Amino acid sequence: DALYGKACSSRQSEDEDDEDPEDTESRAEGDEEDESVKEGREGKRGNTMQALKAEANRLYQAAFDEDPNDSFAVNGLSLFAPPEGKRKLLELAVHLDGENPYALANLGSDLLGEDDRRALSYLQRALQVNPKLFYARLFKCQALARLGDLDGAIEAVSEQLSLRPEDTVAQRLLSGLRVRRDMVRWRMLHQV
């Protein structure tokens, strides 16, 4: 999961690393960045991300080939599986190791919108095993909101912000949930 996460987050670091000082000076003076330079950066970034994802997939496959009962390898392979095969891999990963927080969280997120109670159960288990698993908490928030527990969803996203105050996704979720809760309360108070 760390290698896959690195692939997904490489965009930000490449933006910082690829900055050409002459390009920066030109833009600072008001010149527009040449479209070919932008396309070149985007192409390079895309190639790097694709290469990192391919390497992650290769490593997960190698781990699986070494031990087909490795829950972490099976979970990792699910990241690259087509939608019709993803759920089976996630369920297998959880079956192999019911304490694998990544498999639990990924299965929970995959169930969102289809079976929210079951999703919530897996997400809660993931957080029991690894309380700092940020994306499990955000998915838990979504499951609770879908089930109509807005106070529980607000509590979950507030916990997330206590661990990661800079999390802009959690900040937006919290704002939206508070507005939604206030609207529900207003409607209840003003029913005719």
Side-chain angles (χ1 to χ4, degrees):
D1 282 338
L3 187 56
Y4 184 78
K6 182 178 179 182
C8 293
S9 67
S10 69
R11 168 174 251 157
Q12 180 182 356
S13 64
E14 283 186 11
D15 284 345
E16 294 165 3
D17 294 343
D18 287 348
E19 194 72 32
D20 184 347
E22 290 180 21
D23 288 343
T24 305
E25 283 180 25
S26 299
R27 277 180 280 144
E29 295 169 7
D31 293 343
E32 290 295 317
E33 183 177 24
D34 186 337
E35 280 301 312
S36 63
V37 172
K38 284 183 185 178
E39 290 172 9
R41 276 199 191 122
E42 289 172 7
K44 181 179 177 185
R45 183 178 309 119
N47 291 340
T48 300
M49 288 178 62
Q50 288 298 79
L52 286 171
K53 287 179 181 180
E55 177 67 4
N57 190 13
R58 187 189 67 72
L59 290 171
Y60 286 127
Q61 187 63 55
F64 177 79
D65 291 344
E66 177 87 17
D67 180 4
N69 294 317
D70 183 336
S71 174
F72 290 89
V74 174
N75 177 65
L77 289 174
S78 77
L79 299 171
F80 305 97
E84 62 274 4
K86 181 178 183 177
R87 175 80 51 85
K88 287 181 182 179
L89 287 171
L90 290 170
E91 288 175 341
L92 176 58
V94 169
H95 174 75
L96 292 170
D97 181 358
E99 299 294 310
N100 178 340
Y102 306 104
L104 291 164
N106 290 339
L107 181 54
S109 71
D110 195 58
L111 289 165
L112 275 174
E114 185 179 316
D115 187 345
D116 294 324
R117 291 202 184 285
R118 191 168 160 224
L120 180 59
S121 174
Y122 285 115
L123 294 163
Q124 288 172 326
R125 282 179 47 203
L127 289 165
Q128 287 173 344
V129 176
N130 182 351
K132 294 184 179 183
L133 192 57
F134 71 95
Y135 66 94
R137 187 166 285 103
L138 292 177
F139 287 128
K140 176 185 174 184
C141 167
Q142 291 175 15
L144 288 165
R146 293 181 63 83
L147 292 167
D149 184 357
L150 296 179
D151 290 329
I154 288 170
E155 182 180 331
V157 77
S158 295
E159 288 173 14
Q160 172 66 12
L161 286 168
S162 72
L163 294 170
R164 297 180 71 177
E166 75 288 350
D167 188 334
T168 57
V169 172
Q171 292 168 1
R172 285 191 305 271
L173 266 173
L174 181 59
S175 295
L177 287 166
R178 285 180 173 159
V179 168
R180 187 171 160 193
R181 181 189 61 190
D182 292 346
M183 288 174 60
V184 168
R185 287 180 178 168
W186 186 89
R187 286 183 187 144
M188 290 174 67
L189 290 172
H190 295 88
Q191 277 185 341
V192 181

